[in-house]
Amino acid sequence: MTAPLDVLVVGAGPTGLALAAQLRSYGARFRIVDRSLDRVRESRALAIQPRTLEALAGFGVTDELVARGNPAMRLRLHLPRRVVALRLFDIGLTDTAYPFLLFLSQAETERVLSEHLAVRDVTIERGTELVRLEAADSFVDCRLRHDDGSQETVEARYVVGCDGAHSTVRSQSGIGFEGYAYPQTFLLADLEVDGLEPDSVHSYMSGTGMVFFFPLGSPAGWRMLAMRPPDAPEAEVDLPLLQEITGRCTGERLTLRDPVWMTDFRLHNRGADRYRLGPCFLAGDAAHIHSPAGAQGMNTGIQDALNLGWKLALTCRGVAPEELLATYEAERAPVGHSVLRFTNRAFTIATSSNPVIRVGRTQLAPRLAPLALRAAKIRGRLFRTVSELGIHYRRSPASTAGSRPPRSGPRAGDRLPDLPRGLQARTAAPGWHLLLSGPPSLWPDERLSPALEGRIGLLSVHRLGGQSPWPGVAQGLVRPDGYLGYVARDVDLDGLRTYLDHWLPVGRR
């Protein structure tokens, strides 16, 4: 048996790869295994949200993702008598360096993250399957089976299931997975389409069904998503079937050709009963699966991972209390539940055969949607929700407002905005970051030393002067995942020291 691990990561999709990247940046002892022999080659998830690009920037991979993807997208709504073109994310995103939805196939996202890990000597153990886990006194005994049939047992303090909808970690740990399958069958294909304007997402919704075309570039020019008509035979998906559905729904002369792959599938709306049970955690599709509405799935999974990774690493190093791990479920489960509700509502409106909803979808929505989307406030609020920039942890046990919180600016539990521009880059290095607003003379070293003592290498200080997200004099403590744990006004550091003594106590190493 090998020496005990800090963490065993099960699953090497985007969620598992992001978790591995963060564990590596904090020096944790871990392994990442996946039963598949290779990473995905199909497109699957198609888009990366602004918040995910921010969260990955600290690893140095975001520039590469942006270079490989396409941020210049428009949504073209094909209505019965006209086409409405809308820019994606054109308002409400002034506090991020990435004010766009990046279209990039999951295959490319995984490639970039895998290359990042390879450069840092992290081996992704493919063809390795978790077949059993059993919690012991201090460790989890994990039985792994390799592609050649050999088996080994490893010990790990914690196991994280990033292994998808059919998660072995979830089933072995006894966590329930409640929800339902939608009745509709969907068709998916990566192929070429003649007749579509490039650099746009095309949406066709009619009384006969719906079809979406998403620009890919690789492995094919377009991703097609359609609902199988009720009168269509349950036969294998082929190009003639896709062409027939396209003709029904679009009424346009679009020619489909050269498919790379085609499949049909059912969608589910399911969530785990809990995100942690003892030493076992769930992240990504292992914790929540839902419709692709709003491009939330992969992004939510990556952000699950980046909420959890630093907490595991610092706890295993002995510099944070075990209590910190309880904040993972407290913070991410509400996000997962919200995504399930949001995607279910959007999906139901788009697919329901209810006569009232159908009339609203095909007749009222085409008239009202363009008018509603012209309202800046509505559009801005929608974009911040979809972009995931509005996610916060204000109710988390790890979010504390000082006795005199600032009157404006980000609050404890909020994501640190990138205002002034470049602020997120200054706080991207691993560890906690203390931001001090106001004249630097108010923050001499002797005032700060009691809070910093014993935390060198874990806590960095940034004197922002007037270039701060808060007006006047303020202090903000940025967690390793880019959210504010503590925010207060004035120069009194007693509240900060109390917070640090609880969550980053001196003398635990």
Side-chain angles (χ1 to χ4, degrees), residues 81-402:
R81 294 180 181 83
R82 60 181 175 138
V83 177
V84 177
L86 300 169
R87 285 192 61 190
L88 294 175
F89 294 177
D90 64 333
I91 193 171
L93 278 70
T94 58
D95 61 347
T96 178
Y98 311 100
F100 48 79
L101 182 65
L102 182 70
F103 276 77
L104 182 67
S105 75
Q106 179 177 330
E108 286 300 297
T109 300
E110 291 192 16
R111 182 200 298 271
V112 170
L113 290 172
S114 298
E115 290 172 352
H116 169 84
L117 292 172
V119 169
R120 286 151 184 81
D121 299 321
V122 176
T123 300
I124 302 169
E125 300 179 46
R126 298 200 177 274
T128 302
E129 181 179 6
L130 174 70
V131 294
R132 181 184 61 81
L133 61 82
E134 184 176 350
D137 292 338
S138 302
F139 298 97
V140 184
D141 290 329
C142 305
R143 173 72 67 175
L144 303 178
R145 180 169 58 217
H146 300 281
D147 186 51
D148 61 4
S150 64
Q151 296 192 16
E152 67 169 316
T153 298
V154 300
E155 290 183 332
R157 289 185 61 179
Y158 301 102
V159 178
V160 184
C162 306
D163 47 346
H166 303 288
S167 170
T168 300
V169 174
R170 189 184 63 236
S171 61
Q172 289 275 322
S173 60
I175 298 175
F177 200 48
E178 302 300 325
Y180 49 85
Y182 293 106
Q184 300 89 347
T185 300
F186 288 83
L187 309 176
L188 206 61
D190 289 350
L191 38 61
E192 303 301 327
V193 183
D194 296 330
L196 285 178
E197 180 177 325
D199 291 338
S200 293
V201 177
H202 295 267
S203 168
Y204 299 84
M205 302 187 73
S206 67
T208 60
M210 66 173 189
V211 174
F212 294 89
F213 291 100
F214 303 91
L216 278 181
S218 175
W222 295 92
R223 152 66 60 86
M224 175 182 176
L225 172 64
M227 191 165 64
R228 186 190 288 269
D231 59 347
E234 291 291 333
E236 185 175 346
V237 182
D238 57 20
L239 195 59
L241 173 62
L242 298 178
Q243 186 69 67
E244 178 189 355
I245 293 173
T246 299
R248 283 192 195 187
C249 295
T250 69
E252 299 182 7
R253 296 181 179 178
L254 302 179
T255 301
L256 312 185
R257 59 181 174 83
D258 303 330
V260 173
W261 71 295
M262 301 174 287
T263 189
D264 58 1
F265 64 99
R266 297 278 297 278
L267 289 172
H268 295 252
N269 187 285
R270 302 184 188 277
D273 292 345
R274 53 196 307 174
Y275 284 27
R276 177 195 184 185
L277 186 58
C280 298
F281 294 81
L282 302 178
D285 285 357
H288 41 73
I289 56 172
H290 42 79
S291 88
Q296 302 292 290
M298 179 186 73
N299 293 276
T300 304
I302 289 174
Q303 291 175 51
D304 286 344
L306 300 184
N307 180 286
L308 178 60
W310 65 275
K311 297 175 180 178
L312 288 169
L314 295 186
T315 301
C316 289
R317 283 174 56 183
V319 299
E322 174 79 17
E323 181 185 355
L324 182 64
L325 297 179
T327 67
Y328 171 65
E329 181 166 10
E331 293 174 353
R332 293 306 297 175
V335 174
H337 297 157
S338 177
V339 169
L340 289 173
R341 290 192 301 270
F342 167 76
T343 56
N344 180 60
R345 288 170 186 159
F347 179 85
T348 300
I349 292 171
T351 63
S352 176
S353 59
N354 180 286
V356 175
I357 297 179
R358 184 170 173 175
V359 168
R361 181 178 70 233
T362 60
Q363 298 183 31
L364 296 180
R367 295 182 176 90
L368 299 179
L371 296 175
L373 290 174
R374 288 195 188 106
K377 182 176 290 188
I378 294 175
R379 197 163 74 246
R381 187 178 298 122
L382 174 64
F383 290 166
R384 288 196 72 81
T385 298
V386 174
S387 68
E388 303 189 347
L389 294 174
I391 292 173
H392 65 80
Y393 307 134
R394 292 175 185 169
R395 298 182 179 178
S396 167
S399 300
T400 301

